[in-house]
Amino acid sequence: MQQRDTQPILIVEDSEDDFEATMRAFKRTNLRNSIRWAASGQEALDMLAVMVPKPGLILLDLNMPGLDGRKTLEAIKSNDGWRKIPVVILTTSDDERDIEGCYALGANTYVQKPVDLDGLFAAIQRLKEYWFEIAILPLED
């Protein structure tokens, strides 16, 4: 088993329903990695500070109360210990300013959340295939 199979996925999502749907989608893909949930940007940063091992991938919602996804992304990508962790923005927004802004802050991928469950399952399947079967992720230092 490779280290990538043991690195958790951190989902940063304020909606419990959206988190549960994403979890079901990942379970359907037979993903081996554990999944951790942060319900806010601040909770995600607090978790990253103590998580061992660090996540192999972060799925980040943009529109959250308090520390939103943009500020959370900025904090992750400006931290020497976290900046190599791939961050996938998973949000309902298709606003060009959000897309441009997230890539400017260092997002690795921007995905618009499908509105229906079948679309979400298909999107998560493709994310899993890309990030865990095709892409070579940096190993933890």
Side-chain angles (χ1 to χ4, degrees), residues 5 10 18 35 42 50 75 78 81 92 95 115 120 140:
D5 293 335
L10 177 59
D18 285 357
I35 295 178
Q42 188 58 56
V50 297
S78 64
T92 54
D95 186 314
V115 289
L120 178 66
E140 194 175 9

PDB file of all heavy atoms in Angstrom, residues 5 10 18 35 42 50 75 78 81 92 95 115 120 140:
ATOM      1  N   ASP A   5      -2.402   6.014  -0.375  1.00  0.00           N
ATOM      2  CA  ASP A   5      -3.608   5.287   0.032  1.00  0.00           C
ATOM      3  C   ASP A   5      -3.948   5.519   1.499  1.00  0.00           C
ATOM      4  O   ASP A   5      -5.044   5.205   1.939  1.00  0.00           O
ATOM      5  CB  ASP A   5      -3.431   3.781  -0.183  1.00  0.00           C
ATOM      6  CG  ASP A   5      -3.331   3.429  -1.665  1.00  0.00           C
ATOM      7  OD1 ASP A   5      -3.852   4.194  -2.498  1.00  0.00           O
ATOM      8  OD2 ASP A   5      -2.714   2.394  -1.970  1.00  0.00           O
ATOM      9  N   LEU A  10      -9.455  15.695   3.235  1.00  0.00           N
ATOM     10  CA  LEU A  10     -10.134  16.669   4.102  1.00  0.00           C
ATOM     11  C   LEU A  10     -11.197  17.375   3.275  1.00  0.00           C
ATOM     12  O   LEU A  10     -10.892  17.997   2.259  1.00  0.00           O
ATOM     13  CB  LEU A  10      -9.129  17.678   4.662  1.00  0.00           C
ATOM     14  CG  LEU A  10      -9.717  18.798   5.531  1.00  0.00           C
ATOM     15  CD1 LEU A  10     -10.468  18.246   6.744  1.00  0.00           C
ATOM     16  CD2 LEU A  10      -8.627  19.765   5.975  1.00  0.00           C
ATOM     17  N   ASP A  18     -24.487  18.289   2.093  1.00  0.00           N
ATOM     18  CA  ASP A  18     -23.511  18.211   1.002  1.00  0.00           C
ATOM     19  C   ASP A  18     -22.345  17.307   1.386  1.00  0.00           C
ATOM     20  O   ASP A  18     -21.843  16.539   0.564  1.00  0.00           O
ATOM     21  CB  ASP A  18     -22.992  19.603   0.619  1.00  0.00           C
ATOM     22  CG  ASP A  18     -24.015  20.405  -0.165  1.00  0.00           C
ATOM     23  OD1 ASP A  18     -25.114  19.872  -0.465  1.00  0.00           O
ATOM     24  OD2 ASP A  18     -23.721  21.572  -0.497  1.00  0.00           O
ATOM     25  N   ILE A  35     -11.720   9.793   5.323  1.00  0.00           N
ATOM     26  CA  ILE A  35     -12.223  11.136   5.025  1.00  0.00           C
ATOM     27  C   ILE A  35     -12.452  11.867   6.338  1.00  0.00           C
ATOM     28  O   ILE A  35     -13.048  11.320   7.270  1.00  0.00           O
ATOM     29  CB  ILE A  35     -13.516  11.073   4.194  1.00  0.00           C
ATOM     30  CG1 ILE A  35     -13.188  10.463   2.819  1.00  0.00           C
ATOM     31  CG2 ILE A  35     -14.144  12.452   4.058  1.00  0.00           C
ATOM     32  CD1 ILE A  35     -14.370  10.290   1.913  1.00  0.00           C
ATOM     33  N   GLN A  42     -12.131  27.866   9.521  1.00  0.00           N
ATOM     34  CA  GLN A  42     -11.299  27.908  10.728  1.00  0.00           C
ATOM     35  C   GLN A  42     -11.073  26.506  11.288  1.00  0.00           C
ATOM     36  O   GLN A  42      -9.968  26.166  11.701  1.00  0.00           O
ATOM     37  CB  GLN A  42     -11.933  28.813  11.798  1.00  0.00           C
ATOM     38  CG  GLN A  42     -11.019  29.045  12.990  1.00  0.00           C
ATOM     39  CD  GLN A  42      -9.682  29.677  12.597  1.00  0.00           C
ATOM     40  OE1 GLN A  42      -9.647  30.742  11.986  1.00  0.00           O
ATOM     41  NE2 GLN A  42      -8.577  29.025  12.930  1.00  0.00           N
ATOM     42  N   VAL A  50      -2.746  20.038  13.324  1.00  0.00           N
ATOM     43  CA  VAL A  50      -2.453  18.862  14.157  1.00  0.00           C
ATOM     44  C   VAL A  50      -2.593  17.528  13.422  1.00  0.00           C
ATOM     45  O   VAL A  50      -2.255  16.491  13.984  1.00  0.00           O
ATOM     46  CB  VAL A  50      -3.351  18.846  15.428  1.00  0.00           C
ATOM     47  CG1 VAL A  50      -3.059  20.058  16.302  1.00  0.00           C
ATOM     48  CG2 VAL A  50      -4.825  18.779  15.067  1.00  0.00           C
ATOM     49  N   ALA A  75      -4.850  30.928   3.268  1.00  0.00           N
ATOM     50  CA  ALA A  75      -4.091  30.506   4.451  1.00  0.00           C
ATOM     51  C   ALA A  75      -3.338  29.202   4.186  1.00  0.00           C
ATOM     52  O   ALA A  75      -2.178  29.047   4.584  1.00  0.00           O
ATOM     53  CB  ALA A  75      -5.029  30.351   5.649  1.00  0.00           C
ATOM     54  N   SER A  78      -0.371  29.788   1.760  1.00  0.00           N
ATOM     55  CA  SER A  78       0.699  30.656   2.271  1.00  0.00           C
ATOM     56  C   SER A  78       1.461  30.002   3.428  1.00  0.00           C
ATOM     57  O   SER A  78       2.390  30.580   3.967  1.00  0.00           O
ATOM     58  CB  SER A  78       0.140  32.015   2.694  1.00  0.00           C
ATOM     59  OG  SER A  78      -0.762  31.859   3.768  1.00  0.00           O
ATOM     60  N   GLY A  81       4.140  24.422   5.357  1.00  0.00           N
ATOM     61  CA  GLY A  81       3.876  23.011   5.613  1.00  0.00           C
ATOM     62  C   GLY A  81       2.668  22.456   4.878  1.00  0.00           C
ATOM     63  O   GLY A  81       2.481  21.247   4.816  1.00  0.00           O
ATOM     64  N   THR A  92     -20.771  25.614  -5.712  1.00  0.00           N
ATOM     65  CA  THR A  92     -21.875  25.840  -6.646  1.00  0.00           C
ATOM     66  C   THR A  92     -21.595  27.021  -7.576  1.00  0.00           C
ATOM     67  O   THR A  92     -22.234  27.148  -8.604  1.00  0.00           O
ATOM     68  CB  THR A  92     -23.187  26.116  -5.872  1.00  0.00           C
ATOM     69  OG1 THR A  92     -22.954  27.196  -4.964  1.00  0.00           O
ATOM     70  CG2 THR A  92     -23.642  24.884  -5.118  1.00  0.00           C
ATOM     71  N   ASP A  95     -19.066  31.705 -11.083  1.00  0.00           N
ATOM     72  CA  ASP A  95     -18.706  33.110 -11.299  1.00  0.00           C
ATOM     73  C   ASP A  95     -17.236  33.202 -11.729  1.00  0.00           C
ATOM     74  O   ASP A  95     -16.359  32.682 -11.049  1.00  0.00           O
ATOM     75  CB  ASP A  95     -18.948  33.893 -10.007  1.00  0.00           C
ATOM     76  CG  ASP A  95     -18.747  35.393 -10.183  1.00  0.00           C
ATOM     77  OD1 ASP A  95     -17.741  35.807 -10.797  1.00  0.00           O
ATOM     78  OD2 ASP A  95     -19.598  36.153  -9.690  1.00  0.00           O
ATOM     79  N   VAL A 115     -25.764  19.801  -9.437  1.00  0.00           N
ATOM     80  CA  VAL A 115     -26.930  20.030  -8.582  1.00  0.00           C
ATOM     81  C   VAL A 115     -27.641  18.736  -8.195  1.00  0.00           C
ATOM     82  O   VAL A 115     -28.293  18.672  -7.169  1.00  0.00           O
ATOM     83  CB  VAL A 115     -27.951  21.000  -9.233  1.00  0.00           C
ATOM     84  CG1 VAL A 115     -27.401  22.404  -9.246  1.00  0.00           C
ATOM     85  CG2 VAL A 115     -28.326  20.546 -10.623  1.00  0.00           C
ATOM     86  N   LEU A 120     -23.198  14.528  -8.994  1.00  0.00           N
ATOM     87  CA  LEU A 120     -22.178  14.579  -7.944  1.00  0.00           C
ATOM     88  C   LEU A 120     -21.392  13.268  -7.918  1.00  0.00           C
ATOM     89  O   LEU A 120     -20.167  13.273  -7.840  1.00  0.00           O
ATOM     90  CB  LEU A 120     -22.815  14.848  -6.577  1.00  0.00           C
ATOM     91  CG  LEU A 120     -21.827  14.877  -5.407  1.00  0.00           C
ATOM     92  CD1 LEU A 120     -20.867  16.057  -5.532  1.00  0.00           C
ATOM     93  CD2 LEU A 120     -22.557  14.933  -4.077  1.00  0.00           C
ATOM     94  N   GLU A 140       4.279  13.342   1.852  1.00  0.00           N
ATOM     95  CA  GLU A 140       4.471  14.192   3.031  1.00  0.00           C
ATOM     96  C   GLU A 140       5.939  14.222   3.423  1.00  0.00           C
ATOM     97  O   GLU A 140       6.629  13.203   3.361  1.00  0.00           O
ATOM     98  CB  GLU A 140       3.623  13.627   4.168  1.00  0.00           C
ATOM     99  CG  GLU A 140       3.483  14.596   5.310  1.00  0.00           C
ATOM    100  CD  GLU A 140       2.532  14.077   6.372  1.00  0.00           C
ATOM    101  OE1 GLU A 140       2.129  12.924   6.316  1.00  0.00           O
ATOM    102  OE2 GLU A 140       2.229  14.872   7.253  1.00  0.00           O
TER     103      GLU A 140
END
